[in-house]
Amino acid sequence: LKAEVPEPCPPPHDATVAAMSARASVLCLLLAAGFPARVVGRLGAPKHGLCAEAIVRETCSMLDSSGSGVATPEAVGGIFASTAASVEAFWARAGLPMQGAACADLCGNATALLKSLGRQLPQSSDLGCYEGAVGGDCELDLAPDAIQGMAASSADFPFSEGDEHEHHHDDDGDNETEVVAFSYTVEEMAVRVAQLFRIYPALDSDVQIVASQGPRMLTASAETELLTRRLRQSQAYVNIALRTFASNRTREETKMFFGSDAVSSQRARARIQMVMNSVNNVLSNATFVYPGPDCSARIFAYVFPCTNGGPSEKDTSGRFYVHLCDLFFT
């Protein structure tokens, strides 16, 4: 899978387009819906410390449709496509009542747990830490309006808002991406919960960069700093897309790329949410290779899909290989 100079995003046309097309369409959904202007206007908020009331209230609306202000393990696990065991282990470690917790307590206990585990936290929501930051401060602006420019313009998409592609998905799922649940450690789940409240802890380890056989290696500190900064911005981008999707504010984009049925189908929404979480999992567990041996002038980066007999998609530590090209740094 290669990220090239933008071309119009192709939709899946029928059920013969299997898992990889589903993933490609979700990536297009991220570009189209990650930061639509109408959403940015509602999400943007001044930075007022961690677990700010406005952000907690907004996040709680995704987790509790009843308006009671209580979040359950099932609701949180659903957003992250998590196994029940993973979210319950986090819930117990964070000292939250299994029947449900006040959303403010969910945010506060998750950040307290991360601090106890030695994770550095920024002073405010929408700020991120990254390697190379001046003085080591966590001052990278990750507010939705700050990252809006990363989103594709409408010109990158071949259809206007309201148009719908023809879809012939078989709801039996034989040719569709199967919905799977991800296992998280307690710390990983705490990070995801903090990110849900737009709090971005420092990475748990340095960004892994290895050199391939190629004409130049990643040696300049400016290039390493750029990569780390873009990684943090990408994680925030996916996180906002997850929040937007969970808030049912991507109806037009979902209809455009997946058809009208996907707007209300819980199974279709679970598939989309599962793949968005898989993107986040890769970003959180990647080894970057530079320069990628299969780069060309139009390619930013690429990965190998999981195939038998092909190039390995992971290193010996289980981290996903992401091959970077010169275009990424220009």
Side-chain angles (χ1 to χ4, degrees):
L1 300 179
K2 297 182 178 180
E4 302 185 80
V5 173
E7 303 260 346
C9 290
H13 296 292
D14 53 48
T16 62
V17 182
M20 299 317 296
S21 291
R23 286 170 173 78
S25 290
V26 169
L27 291 176
C28 286
L29 177 67
L30 290 175
L31 292 174
F35 297 96
R38 63 181 184 279
V39 172
V40 170
R42 291 199 292 264
L43 287 177
K47 300 177 181 65
H48 296 303
L50 302 179
C51 300
E53 181 180 353
I55 295 178
V56 169
R57 183 171 58 249
E58 180 187 56
T59 304
C60 200
S61 68
M62 303 176 225
L63 300 170
D64 172 35
S65 58
S66 69
S68 66
V70 173
T72 64
E74 293 77 15
V76 173
I79 287 183
F80 300 126
S82 166
T83 63
S86 294
V87 70
E88 288 170 6
F90 156 75
W91 217 262
R93 183 76 177 273
L96 297 167
M98 283 296 175
Q99 67 270 25
C103 294
D105 291 340
L106 175 61
C107 182
N109 288 27
T111 54
L113 175 58
L114 287 169
K115 289 178 181 178
S116 73
L117 294 172
R119 293 292 285 266
Q120 182 182 10
L121 296 176
Q123 294 299 310
S124 173
S125 60
D126 294 331
L127 293 177
C129 315
Y130 69 100
E131 183 179 352
V134 177
D137 293 332
C138 301
E139 296 294 334
L140 180 63
D141 193 348
L142 299 178
D145 54 352
I147 306 179
Q148 183 179 6
M150 294 174 60
S153 70
S154 59
D156 291 329
F157 296 89
F159 299 96
S160 61
E161 185 171 327
D163 288 343
E164 181 182 347
H165 306 308
E166 184 176 3
H167 295 262
H168 304 284
H169 295 312
D170 179 2
D171 203 39
D172 290 338
D174 291 340
N175 293 311
E176 294 285 357
T177 305
E178 290 301 316
V179 178
V180 299
F182 298 109
S183 294
Y184 299 93
T185 67
V186 167
E187 185 171 358
E188 288 170 342
M189 183 60 71
V191 169
R192 291 302 183 88
V193 170
Q195 290 176 344
L196 193 63
F197 290 93
R198 289 162 48 186
I199 299 167
Y200 300 97
L203 298 173
D204 61 346
S205 61
D206 292 338
V207 174
Q208 301 295 312
I209 305 172
V210 299
S212 69
Q213 297 298 320
R216 69 190 281 254
M217 294 174 56
L218 221 177
T219 55
S221 59
E223 291 177 331
T224 303
E225 186 270 343
L226 172 64
L227 172 59
T228 312
R229 179 157 40 93
R230 288 287 182 255
L231 178 60
R232 297 321 312 266
Q233 291 168 329
S234 297
Q235 290 172 325
Y237 189 106
V238 176
N239 181 60
I240 296 298
L242 276 166
R243 288 170 52 91
T244 307
F245 185 76
S247 300
N248 293 307
R249 287 180 282 183
T250 58
R251 295 178 63 87
E252 291 303 319
E253 292 82 6
T254 302
K255 179 180 176 182
M256 180 185 298
F257 288 101
F258 298 95
S260 299
D261 291 346
V263 174
S264 56
S265 168
Q266 291 302 309
R267 184 173 184 181
R269 289 183 60 82
R271 288 192 187 111
I272 296 170
Q273 200 137 347
M274 182 269 292
V275 178
M276 284 197 287
N277 275 287
S278 75
V279 174
N280 214 353
N281 291 343
V282 171
L283 291 173
S284 302
N285 191 34
T287 289
F288 296 92
V289 179
Y290 179 77
D294 293 330
C295 287
S296 69
R298 288 175 55 85
I299 296 176
F300 290 96
Y302 63 91
V303 297
F304 291 115
C306 182
T307 55
N308 293 327
S312 175
E313 64 164 350
K314 297 181 181 180
D315 65 14
T316 55
S317 299
R319 300 172 70 95
F320 295 92
Y321 282 126
V322 177
H323 300 264
L324 302 176
C325 302
D326 286 338
L327 188 59
F328 178 88
F329 295 103
T330 58

